[in-house]
Amino acid sequence: MKKLKRSARLVEMTHYLLARPHHLIPLTTFAQRYGAAKSSISEDLGIIKEVFEEEGIGDLLTLAGAAGGVKYVPRVGREQALVFIRELCDKLSQPDRILPGGYLYMSDLLGQPGLMNEAGKLFATAFGDLEIDCIMTVETKGIPLAYATGAELNLPVVLVRRDHQVTEGSAVSINYVSGSHKSLHTMTLSRRALKEHSRVLIVDDFMKAGGTIQGMVDLLDEFNAKVAGVGVLVESGEVDSEQRLLRDYVSLATLRAVDAKGKEISVEPGNYFSKFG
Amino acid sequence: MKKLKRSARLVEMTHYLLARPHHLIPLTTFAQRYGAAKSSISEDLGIIKEVFEEEGIGDLLTLAGAAGGVKYVPRVGREQALVFIRELCDKLSQPDRILPGGYLYMSDLLGQPGLMNEAGKLFATAFGDLEIDCIMTVETKGIPLAYATGAELNLPVVLVRRDHQVTEGSAVSINYVSGSHKSLHTMTLSRRALKEHSRVLIVDDFMKAGGTIQGMVDLLDEFNAKVAGVGVLVESGEVDSEQRLLRDYVSLATLRAVDAKGKEISVEPGNYFSKFG
């Protein structure tokens, strides 16, 4: 136990809460930690709550009763989300991203931990009220986004592999059809990785027709688990809605068109705001 | 510009700093942000600095002069690092991790964003004073650790792939020998991913003889880049020191022995403390 002045206590409590999103922290934890009365702790939390809400950092929920406490719930405000998504669209539209075949180079963006963490906070805002047991993604490029989302929601990440690895133990494999090329692929998940009846949030970096994500949904079936939601950083708008295998998902950006000849990429905000305005 | 009381300002500044590790923030940024005198901001920073240092959160460095400002440098204190590494060793020694062939199941631990972020903070403590331009890892299991380290050091992550992907553009491929089985593999890195003469911190989840990491070192040569450091979560101690390809690295845990018959796993702290005591 340590006696701190209110000012120092506020700094420490702010750090403590920010480091533990979606953890329920009993008031007694703070009271004991600082040797302070619960009433002082409540006042401190009131100050922190006001700043967190005004600055678009998140909510501070107070749960009353014996099993009660305080919980920091990260939430990005609408305005900040809009700024982030506009910046993302701008970056995605840089013409030097165009690769042979009309593919888009995104690895530099996916390689920025700060940007991934911010995107993860948007997904945590979108899915924070759902009952979810874990995040799932398939290797490779969606991994940082899945971890960023998992960190903000205090949830583990389950990683689907393309091949069965010796370090995964016994595993379940399925075949799936990647929508745009109709080519057949395999994905595999360790038996130990996912409990039965889990509610799973699927996260990925890019979705075209949705074949890869549909593959993960099929894999969940094998574990008697179910999808709680789907979040993708970028969706391709170059797909007929009839071709799309999946209808219920959240995207941060939509790739409308890639004109390799004219060196123009058209990107606009995804459906995030229509779902979580 | 918004006028905040000192208490609210402390909460906001704490969040602002924690969200921007290794960023140099001019005092005028805070002064303008809060419409406060620089002297008040300096006092606030003094309070935050004291708490950050006492609680083992990190340092708050003040750089004087026109280009000066304040920089939050995450640093895990020795005691906290010890607690974390002991817990990691305990978790790694759970006997149900043993897989056929004496392999160790670690995916549940690697799937915990909080644990990865904590390990990343240890690497940020170990390598925070070096001049580094980016973090490098090879897919798949080292990715979360590389991003956690990158986030704490404010550095981008460069991801080496096993196969050449169409979404990576032109790439450089090399062959390397995985030490323990002497089998030949390929790794590939997009030309765009790494600037010439970069100083690179290599991060991975597991190292046995060090063949995979030596492969990344060889790949760096192709980009005229160089290794600034190597950090691994777990090293295998089941390797003769003669067999080890790499001598200069930091490990958090050492896997001494896996006794598949007796169902015992022996894990002890890595060389972290001998290097960064």
Side-chain angles (χ1 to χ4, degrees):
Chain A
M1 199 204 292
K2 52 201 165 188
K3 282 275 183 189
L4 290 177
K5 279 193 194 168
R6 160 151 289 166
S7 53
R9 208 164 61 204
L10 280 170
V11 172
E12 230 257 8
M13 283 172 76
T14 301
H15 170 263
Y16 193 94
L17 288 162
L18 288 173
R20 289 165 185 79
H22 280 277
H23 286 70
L24 184 66
I25 303 158
L27 289 199
T28 46
T29 301
F30 287 125
Q32 284 170 3
R33 200 173 161 85
Y34 307 118
K38 273 199 192 180
S39 58
S40 308
I41 298 294
S42 288
E43 270 178 55
D44 295 347
L45 290 171
I47 295 168
I48 296 173
K49 182 184 171 74
E50 212 179 303
V51 175
F52 276 21
E53 288 177 3
E54 271 181 20
E55 299 301 320
I57 297 167
D59 293 344
L60 215 58
L61 303 183
T62 313
L63 286 91
V70 63
K71 193 196 270 184
Y72 158 52
V73 175
R75 269 192 223 285
V76 182
R78 191 187 154 80
E79 205 179 314
Q80 276 169 286
L82 198 61
V83 169
F84 175 80
I85 287 181
R86 285 224 178 104
E87 280 176 11
L88 179 66
C89 291
D90 282 352
K91 284 174 186 157
L92 286 167
S93 337
Q94 292 155 354
D96 57 356
R97 299 198 172 279
I98 301 176
L99 294 171
Y103 290 94
L104 211 65
Y105 184 77
M106 290 178 20
S107 296
D108 59 327
L109 300 179
L110 298 175
Q112 293 174 30
L115 196 145
M116 289 298 101
N117 288 347
E118 195 65 29
K121 212 172 161 185
L122 259 69
F123 284 141
T125 305
F127 299 109
D129 297 328
L130 302 180
E131 278 204 60
I132 304 173
D133 299 304
C134 63
I135 317 285
M136 175 185 267
T137 193
V138 62
E139 56 182 343
T140 302
K141 291 194 295 182
I143 296 174
L145 195 56
Y147 274 81
T149 308
E152 297 288 348
L153 289 173
N154 185 26
L155 292 173
V157 177
V158 166
L159 183 56
V160 179
R161 308 293 300 254
R162 304 280 181 184
D163 303 306
H164 182 196
Q165 302 289 325
V166 67
T167 49
E168 300 291 326
S170 63
V172 177
S173 288
I174 62 151
N175 294 310
Y176 69 99
V177 178
S178 171
S180 40
H181 298 289
K182 303 271 175 215
S183 53
L184 200 68
H185 301 277
T186 304
M187 56 170 80
T188 171
L189 181 61
S190 167
R191 275 239 161 266
R192 301 182 181 215
L194 190 63
K195 284 202 193 83
E196 286 223 329
H197 310 297
S198 295
R199 287 152 301 192
V200 180
L201 173 61
I202 295 176
V203 168
D204 213 349
D205 62 313
F206 192 81
M207 178 178 76
K208 203 162 179 180
T212 305
I213 288 168
Q214 186 58 48
M216 283 190 263
V217 174
D218 294 345
L219 194 53
L220 288 181
D221 263 353
E222 300 288 329
F223 285 81
N224 289 316
K226 63 178 185 190
V227 197
V230 174
V232 296
L233 188 72
V234 183
E235 65 166 308
S236 168
E238 294 177 301
V239 182
D240 293 343
S241 58
E242 300 228 332
Q243 265 188 291
R244 179 139 284 157
L245 296 166
L246 203 86
R247 296 190 184 274
D248 199 12
Y249 59 88
V250 173
S251 65
L252 302 190
T254 302
L255 180 63
R256 274 285 155 227
V258 177
D259 172 6
K261 245 187 184 168
K263 293 208 179 270
E264 261 188 71
I265 304 169
S266 156
V267 184
E268 55 192 50
N271 69 9
Y272 181 86
F273 288 110
S274 62
K275 304 224 167 201
F276 304 93
Chain B
M1 197 203 293
K2 51 200 166 190
K3 282 274 182 190
L4 290 178
K5 278 193 192 166
R6 160 151 290 164
S7 53
R9 207 165 62 205
L10 281 170
V11 172
E12 230 257 7
M13 283 171 75
T14 301
H15 170 262
Y16 193 94
L17 288 161
L18 289 173
R20 289 165 185 79
H22 280 277
H23 285 69
L24 185 65
I25 303 158
L27 290 200
T28 46
T29 302
F30 287 126
Q32 285 170 3
R33 202 174 159 85
Y34 307 119
K38 275 200 190 180
S39 59
S40 309
I41 297 295
S42 289
E43 270 179 54
D44 295 347
L45 289 170
I47 296 168
I48 296 173
K49 182 183 172 75
E50 213 179 303
V51 175
F52 276 22
E53 288 176 4
E54 271 181 20
E55 299 301 319
I57 297 166
D59 293 344
L60 215 57
L61 305 181
T62 312
L63 287 91
V70 64
K71 193 196 269 182
Y72 158 53
V73 176
R75 269 194 223 283
V76 182
R78 190 186 156 81
E79 205 180 314
Q80 277 168 285
L82 198 61
V83 170
F84 175 80
I85 287 179
R86 286 225 178 104
E87 280 177 10
L88 179 66
C89 292
D90 282 351
K91 285 175 185 156
L92 286 167
S93 334
Q94 292 155 354
D96 58 355
R97 299 197 171 279
I98 301 175
L99 294 172
Y103 290 95
L104 211 64
Y105 184 77
M106 290 178 22
S107 296
D108 58 325
L109 300 179
L110 299 175
Q112 292 175 30
L115 196 146
M116 290 297 101
N117 289 348
E118 195 63 31
K121 211 171 161 186
L122 259 70
F123 284 141
T125 305
F127 299 109
D129 298 328
L130 303 179
E131 278 204 58
I132 305 174
D133 299 302
C134 62
I135 316 286
M136 176 184 266
T137 194
V138 62
E139 58 182 341
T140 302
K141 291 194 296 183
I143 297 175
L145 195 56
Y147 274 82
T149 309
E152 296 288 348
L153 289 173
N154 185 27
L155 292 173
V157 177
V158 167
L159 183 55
V160 179
R161 308 293 300 254
R162 303 281 180 184
D163 303 305
H164 182 196
Q165 301 290 324
V166 68
T167 49
E168 298 291 325
S170 63
V172 177
S173 288
I174 62 151
N175 294 310
Y176 68 99
V177 178
S178 172
S180 40
H181 297 288
K182 301 273 177 216
S183 53
L184 200 68
H185 300 275
T186 304
M187 55 170 80
T188 172
L189 182 60
S190 168
R191 275 239 162 266
R192 301 182 182 215
L194 190 63
K195 284 203 195 81
E196 287 224 327
H197 309 297
S198 294
R199 288 153 301 194
V200 179
L201 172 62
I202 295 176
V203 168
D204 213 349
D205 62 313
F206 193 80
M207 179 177 77
K208 203 162 178 179
T212 305
I213 288 169
Q214 187 58 47
M216 284 190 262
V217 173
D218 294 345
L219 194 52
L220 287 180
D221 263 352
E222 299 289 329
F223 286 80
N224 289 315
K226 66 177 184 190
V227 197
V230 174
V232 296
L233 187 73
V234 183
E235 65 166 308
S236 168
E238 294 176 301
V239 182
D240 293 342
S241 58
E242 301 229 332
Q243 265 188 293
R244 178 140 285 157
L245 297 165
L246 204 87
R247 297 190 183 273
D248 198 12
Y249 60 87
V250 174
S251 65
L252 302 191
T254 302
L255 180 63
R256 273 288 153 226
V258 177
D259 173 5
K261 245 187 182 167
K263 295 211 178 266
E264 262 187 68
I265 304 170
S266 156
V267 184
E268 54 191 50
N271 69 10
Y272 182 88
F273 288 110
S274 63
K275 302 225 169 199
F276 304 93

